[in-house]
Amino acid sequence: MDIINHTQVRMFELSGLTDDETLIPFLFIFFFAIYIMTIVGNLGIIAMVHLASYLQTPMYFFLSFLSMVDLLYSSTTTPKILSDLVSSKKTIAFNDCAIQFFFFGALAGTEVLILSTMSYDRYVAICHPLQYISIMTARKCWSFVAFSFGFGFFQAALQTSCVFSLQFCGPNHIDQFYCDIPPLMKLTCSKGFSCDALNIAVISSFSLYSLAAILGSYTLILSSILRIKSSRSRQKAFVTCSSHITCASIFFIPIFCTYFRPPSSVFEKQDKVASVFYSTVTPMLNPLIYSLRNQEVKMFIIRALTNCQAHVGDNVNKLHGRSHEFGLNLSL
């Protein structure tokens, strides 16, 4: 039968995370806790950067946008995961699938570019410290952010228009917990060679460009650090880079394991685990990593907790004083 006579699929069925009903309560609590921590952690980073005057630097400027992207990025998949865990039918409409696919790809691409921009920022800070302020101007920082969002959303628009212009005649079962490229391409009844080529080109160019930028920046950073005579200065330089290296590693490794290997049914479960990691766990870990490894962030948290404790103490003392005065009035 010719493709044009086939019925276009209007609803997809997702496989979800598990078929074992005994695991569902645990998984729901687990992912709900992860999502709450993601929201609190990333909103905390954004608020911290905007409230603390000593964090008004390019590094924390980019970190605030990374946190914003992580928050939105996690929100494209985690709420759907939670709803599917408590639902008997794990379905998603064709248009909703396209919307999720677009925003997931756009925010993933934006995060890749922001991570590479942050590596350039660390290169300028360590290799050209005296020119850092003149190089990393506010205008340049905003240009980097605009470039990251612009190209991230542009490549997602290309991929989405390509994939969802194909014919999906059935079956409609997506072997994943969200709308992703590999399982969707398995379902199309159109000849998707050009679309496959586009997807490979886009993912490869973004990932390899970002990876080359990060590796190139840190190669220059390492050579510069090794020339520093003071061991204390070397250690401080390493610490300023360690948070970014950790965040970039935990984001890129699962992506390369998922998209840059020959297709095989043997790895389907591993693919799902990798997808869970970079779509839900990584956005939660990024603010934790920067909070635990950056002295400026620790300082802000300690000051905030101290001020909060002092404020609570003052309120308790006021309440105690009022209750004591009220007791005296009653005795009179």
Side-chain angles (χ1 to χ4, degrees), residues 202-239:
V202 168
I203 295 172
S204 300
S205 60
F206 265 70
S207 301
L208 295 177
Y209 160 77
S210 183
L211 189 63
I214 292 171
L215 291 178
S217 296
Y218 279 108
T219 299
L220 297 172
I221 288 170
L222 182 61
S223 63
S224 179
I225 290 175
L226 293 177
R227 290 196 298 267
I228 299 175
K229 295 181 180 180
S230 171
S231 59
R232 185 176 180 181
S233 298
R234 285 199 301 269
Q235 183 180 4
K236 185 178 179 180
F238 275 119
V239 169

Side-chain angles (χ1 to χ4, degrees), residues 51-295:
L51 291 175
S53 58
Y54 58 90
L55 296 181
Q56 303 297 319
T57 63
M59 184 182 88
Y60 290 103
F61 174 81
F62 294 129
L63 177 60
S64 66
F65 279 99
L66 181 68
S67 293
M68 183 179 73
V69 171
D70 278 334
L71 180 59
L72 298 173
Y73 179 63
S74 176
S75 298
T76 62
T77 56
T78 310
K80 179 61 177 171
I81 292 173
L82 293 173
S83 65
D84 285 345
L85 284 171
V86 296
S87 175
S88 58
K89 292 186 177 180
K90 303 175 179 64
T91 57
I92 184 169
F94 183 88
N95 291 336
D96 292 340
C97 185
I99 292 170
Q100 185 189 59
F101 182 93
F102 170 74
F103 281 104
F104 186 84
L107 294 166
T110 302
E111 176 143 353
V112 164
L113 294 175
I114 289 178
L115 286 170
S116 60
T117 300
M118 293 175 76
S119 68
Y120 172 73
D121 172 72
R122 291 299 82 208
Y123 156 73
V124 176
I126 293 173
C127 299
H128 303 283
L130 299 179
Q131 292 83 33
Y132 180 69
I133 296 176
S134 61
I135 295 175
M136 299 301 295
T137 61
R139 183 176 180 179
K140 181 175 284 189
C141 291
W142 278 108
S143 298
F144 278 132
V145 170
F147 172 82
S148 299
F149 276 91
F151 272 79
F153 277 74
F154 174 71
Q155 62 86 23
L158 286 178
Q159 288 183 288
T160 305
S161 61
C162 180
V163 172
F164 287 89
S165 64
L166 300 173
Q167 290 289 324
F168 293 91
C169 315
N172 67 338
H173 182 77
I174 298 176
D175 192 17
Q176 185 59 283
F177 57 89
Y178 68 100
C179 295
D180 197 14
I181 295 172
L184 277 170
M185 294 304 295
K186 290 180 181 178
L187 299 180
T188 181
C189 51
S190 301
K191 293 180 180 179
F193 175 77
S194 60
C195 199
D196 277 329
L198 174 66
N199 290 328
I200 292 171
V202 168
I203 295 172
S204 300
S205 60
F206 265 70
S207 301
L208 295 177
Y209 160 77
S210 183
L211 189 63
I214 292 171
L215 291 178
S217 296
Y218 279 108
T219 299
L220 297 172
I221 288 170
L222 182 61
S223 63
S224 179
I225 290 175
L226 293 177
R227 290 196 298 267
I228 299 175
K229 295 181 180 180
S230 171
S231 59
R232 185 176 180 181
S233 298
R234 285 199 301 269
Q235 183 180 4
K236 185 178 179 180
F238 275 119
V239 169
T240 59
C241 300
S242 60
S243 298
H244 177 261
I245 293 173
T246 305
C247 290
S249 298
I250 62 176
F251 184 77
F252 278 105
I253 291 173
I255 287 179
F256 274 85
C257 291
T258 302
Y259 295 104
F260 293 92
R261 64 161 184 81
S264 172
S265 60
V266 178
F267 294 97
E268 286 181 356
K269 289 185 178 180
Q270 289 87 333
D271 287 347
K272 193 170 288 189
V273 172
S275 300
V276 166
F277 196 82
Y278 69 73
S279 65
T280 61
V281 178
T282 299
M284 176 200 69
L285 290 178
N286 285 347
L288 291 177
I289 291 168
Y290 273 93
S291 299
L292 294 175
R293 300 187 71 88
N294 284 53
Q295 293 299 323

